[in-house]
Amino acid sequence: MLRTNVKLFVYHTPELTPTDHLPDCAVVIDVLRATTTIATVLEAGAEAVQTFSDIDKLIAVSEQWLPEKRIRAGERGGAKVEGFDLGNSPLECPPDTVADKRFFLTTTNGTRALQRVEKASTVITAAMINRQAAVDYIIKNQPETVWLVGSGWEGGYSLEDTVCAGAIAHALIIHDPQMVEVSNDEVIAATALYAQWHDNLLEMFHRSSHGQRLLRLNCHEDLQYCAKSDIIEVLPIQKEPGVL
Ligand code: 3SL
């Protein structure tokens, strides 16, 4: 039987999530760029994405895969990890690069956020490019509690993650106001931010601190891609801790 209420919470960073309980469904958001890359890689036919916050652990686990069946990708401070195949740009992940391979990914914040909620009953990832897929999943399954968790940057808040959380919350509330119980003030703040920026996400990225960091690394095209809404239908769902 479907529930009448989905208790919806927004947390701006993983550090702000409660530590004594977990939700039925955690939605991890790192628009710039981890969850955009994860959705892109799975849409391009990768066998799975396996995430790590620790570089050495990624190297050790991925050693068990044949080199032609794996990709090691990741960044620190936005720049590619030395010796890895790829950085964390979604634009480097077309089907002919990633299809049928396991994509081993380490990033500064997104993979840490995933780790923080990996024991929730369901963990999915969302970005602007697959926002509607996350919304559809919540509408269809109506988990009792849903946390929208921004990855932030090294413990601080990231504007683009909260705007994406607001985009998801907004779509759920518009779909059926009775279905959603707004359960913390952050939901109201996130939807207000989304209302302010929804028709100019790229400009919002240009103003945000992480957007500016990526612009200094010449990632203009990444920002353009990450600002597109609902272009990908894939919904990354955790199959086991760290594997989507
Ligand atoms: O911190 C992260 O998880 C990354 O998405 C950051 S970056 O955009 O690749 O620099």
Side-chain angles (χ1 to χ4, degrees), residues 185-243:
D185 288 357
E186 288 88 332
V187 178
I188 301 166
T191 49
L193 274 177
Y194 175 65
Q196 182 182 347
W197 290 108
H198 74 280
D199 56 0
N200 211 342
L201 295 174
L202 188 57
E203 190 193 330
M204 182 266 291
F205 288 172
H206 278 247
R207 292 213 198 170
S208 74
S209 55
H210 188 48
Q212 289 179 8
R213 185 178 294 110
L214 290 173
L215 288 172
R216 287 193 293 276
L217 292 166
N218 294 319
C219 298
H220 299 257
E221 289 180 6
D222 280 24
L223 263 55
Q224 283 169 351
Y225 176 75
C226 294
K228 293 182 199 282
S229 293
D230 307 332
I231 57 163
I232 276 186
E233 287 180 12
V234 78
L235 182 67
I237 302 186
Q238 184 177 260
K239 303 176 188 133
E240 59 185 86
V243 182

Side-chain angles (χ1 to χ4, degrees), residues 30 32-34 75 77-79 88 107-111 151-153 210 214:
D30 187 2
L32 296 177
R33 295 167 291 176
E75 59 67 39
N88 183 31
T107 68
T108 314
N109 304 286
T111 54
S151 298
W153 184 268
H210 188 48
L214 290 173

Side-chain angles (χ1 to χ4, degrees), residues 21 44 72 76 80 93 122 134 148-149 159 161 171 175 177-178 186 193 199-200 202 205 211 225:
H21 62 283
R72 288 171 172 156
R76 285 296 177 269
K80 182 178 144 186
C93 304
T122 302
L148 307 178
V149 181
L159 182 59
D161 293 342
H175 169 76
Q178 306 300 322
E186 288 88 332
L193 274 177
D199 56 0
N200 211 342
L202 188 57
F205 288 172
Y225 176 75

